[in-house]
Amino acid sequence: MAPPRRQPELIEDAISEILLRALPDEPAELVRASLACKLWRRILTDPVFLRRYREFHRTPPLLGFFHNLKDGRTPRFVPTTTASSPVPQPEFDGHDWWAYDCRHGRVLLGLGSRRDGPDGFVVWDPITGDQHRLPRPYGDWHLYGTSAVLCAVASCNHRNCHAGPFNVVYMGSYYDDIAGCWIIQASVYSSETGMWAKSASLDFNCTCYSTSRALIGDVLYFTILGGKRILQYELNKNCLSVFDSPDMCEEGAFLMQMEDGSIGISRIRGSSIYLWSRNVNPEGVVGWVQCKVIGLDKIKMLPPDDCCNGAYIFGSADNIGVMFIRTYLGVFTFDFKSGQARKVSKPIKCCAAIPFTSFYTPDCASKKLPSPVEAH
């Protein structure tokens, strides 16, 4: 008796398991695979496979970083992938745009002077091309503000929240003549209501310009005063507070999430990277602990010591343990888990790199790809 004809199904299952293991930080591999034949494209654009793919790899990969240009032109995207970048260079009407933040597959850009506050915002999804225009936050409290964008879905795993609702948190400063001090005011925009709502405020004698921010759970952290202090905003509790950075931290210190889920901060001083974590000690006191010191000469693939003089951390992907190190030979990524560095760009003159992480799969690229027949 002839065996049942299941060979095509077995072949398809085997192909699916192989494609499942394609590395997400090189999305061109999946895009090229989808052009091989109709079977592969059907597998790679199937919602069940894509859900399994994101669950298998769990953490959205780093695809590159945005940085602002001093001449006021549109911010520039620098890919960290070895193949051609799936992320287009941003193009918007006008030239005075400023990139504030990237998170959960979205980019937050502001229009207008950073000093006087943005005239409006755009939340842009580079993968889908969607743009959401936001009005200027109301009130006269915009001096040297800072902002963050984040997914608004409770318990979301942030692996594929392109079409979901989002929030924008804006921290602005104004001088209160009656109180005789500076006030930091938080305002939150909801894409579901289409409105800004004033939130918590804090009397603190400084403006809240920031180059580094991190989100851990429902708490946003911003460096202020050149990295000497950290502004903390608890979204669910609607509470603002400020605490000190470690003594060595100043300009060039960047926030990141530690493996245990605590807030961490890193800085290069001399020829070493210093890393601190903020935890509760046995006596119940919250404080900073220096948890790691890494000599630049110990990092694989970084240039020699004499080329790392003046090395500077200017960005951190706060949820994946990757930082950007700027040297006069170029920009390098450094992965804390592997201990390896990789050159991703020629030298850049800017104050901060804004990392962009997202899955990029053939279903996202479907409108841009030819059919398998046309590709051949």
Side-chain angles (χ1 to χ4, degrees):
M1 184 174 64
R5 298 184 61 186
R6 296 192 58 199
Q7 187 176 5
E9 292 182 13
L10 291 174
I11 292 175
E12 187 168 336
D13 289 345
I15 293 172
S16 178
E17 290 300 317
I18 293 170
L19 294 174
L20 188 67
R21 286 155 176 79
L23 296 177
D25 53 357
E26 291 296 342
E29 293 183 6
L30 283 183
V31 174
R32 284 195 296 263
S34 70
L35 297 174
C37 63
K38 293 181 179 179
L39 171 61
W40 286 29
R41 170 167 286 198
R42 187 174 75 246
I43 294 172
L44 288 167
T45 55
D46 179 60
V48 175
F49 171 84
L50 294 169
R51 185 169 57 251
R52 288 184 62 213
Y53 184 80
R54 295 179 178 109
E55 290 172 352
F56 183 82
H57 294 283
R58 300 180 63 84
T59 304
L62 176 67
L63 299 182
F65 66 91
F66 288 87
H67 71 89
N68 294 298
L69 301 170
K70 294 183 179 180
D71 58 7
R73 290 179 296 162
T74 303
R76 179 170 170 260
F77 180 74
V78 179
T80 53
T81 55
T82 57
S84 59
S85 170
V87 179
Q89 293 296 335
E91 294 182 5
F92 299 99
D93 54 330
H95 297 286
D96 196 12
W97 287 97
W98 190 265
Y100 281 93
D101 190 33
C102 296
R103 188 170 287 105
H104 304 152
R106 300 176 176 94
V107 183
L108 177 65
L109 301 110
L111 174 63
S113 167
R114 286 182 298 146
R115 179 179 176 84
D116 298 329
D119 293 327
F121 287 105
V122 166
V123 173
W124 173 46
D125 186 331
I127 302 300
T128 64
D130 292 338
Q131 295 182 27
H132 189 109
R133 299 263 173 164
L134 284 63
R136 173 188 175 103
Y138 55 81
D140 298 323
W141 44 275
H142 300 288
L143 192 62
Y144 282 120
T146 191
S147 305
V149 61
L150 59 148
C151 173
V153 179
S155 303
C156 181
N157 58 27
H158 307 306
R159 296 169 191 161
N160 187 34
C161 47
H162 294 286
F166 62 85
N167 291 332
V168 172
V169 177
Y170 183 77
M171 297 289 175
S173 307
Y174 68 95
Y175 189 79
D176 190 320
D177 293 326
I178 298 176
C181 66
W182 283 93
I183 305 294
I184 295 177
Q185 173 79 56
S187 187
V188 180
Y189 176 88
S190 167
S191 65
E192 295 179 289
T193 65
M195 297 176 60
W196 288 95
K198 280 189 178 180
S199 189
S201 62
L202 177 71
D203 297 356
F204 194 70
N205 195 28
C206 82
T207 58
C208 55
Y209 171 68
S210 177
T211 57
S212 179
R213 56 196 58 78
L215 174 68
I216 300 179
D218 65 345
V219 181
L220 271 167
Y221 300 89
F222 303 86
T223 56
I224 55 175
L225 288 174
K228 295 179 181 179
R229 301 284 170 80
I230 295 173
L231 178 67
Q232 173 180 288
Y233 178 52
E234 299 176 69
L235 285 88
N236 287 349
K237 296 181 180 179
N238 187 26
C239 178
L240 270 174
S241 58
V242 173
F243 56 90
D244 291 335
S245 299
D247 291 339
M248 286 175 56
C249 284
E250 50 192 36
E251 186 176 357
F254 275 80
L255 300 167
M256 61 189 301
Q257 181 175 336
M258 308 300 290
E259 290 186 10
D260 62 359
S262 63
I263 185 67
I265 192 167
S266 59
R267 179 178 183 256
I268 291 179
R269 185 171 185 178
S271 59
S272 298
I273 299 174
Y274 292 84
L275 184 64
W276 294 265
S277 176
R278 194 167 190 260
N279 290 298
V280 180
N281 65 19
E283 288 74 35
V285 178
V286 179
W288 291 102
V289 176
Q290 184 176 294
C291 54
K292 191 174 290 187
V293 179
I294 306 171
L296 294 176
D297 60 331
K298 305 296 183 184
I299 299 177
K300 300 175 182 177
M301 299 180 69
L302 263 188
D305 291 349
D306 57 340
C307 297
C308 280
N309 289 333
Y312 180 87
I313 298 174
F314 80 124
S316 175
D318 57 55
N319 60 334
I320 59 175
V322 174
M323 67 169 53
F324 292 90
I325 299 176
R326 190 179 70 187
T327 75
Y328 74 80
L329 289 183
V331 176
F332 294 78
T333 56
F334 172 60
D335 189 317
F336 275 99
K337 292 182 180 179
S338 67
Q340 291 193 344
R342 183 167 69 90
K343 185 176 181 179
V344 295
S345 171
K346 62 184 181 181
I348 292 175
K349 292 182 179 180
C350 68
C351 60
I354 306 170
F356 178 75
T357 59
S358 181
F359 282 108
Y360 185 84
T361 48
D363 64 322
C364 298
S366 59
K367 296 180 181 179
K368 307 172 187 177
L369 295 174
S371 69
V373 174
E374 292 170 337
H376 289 284

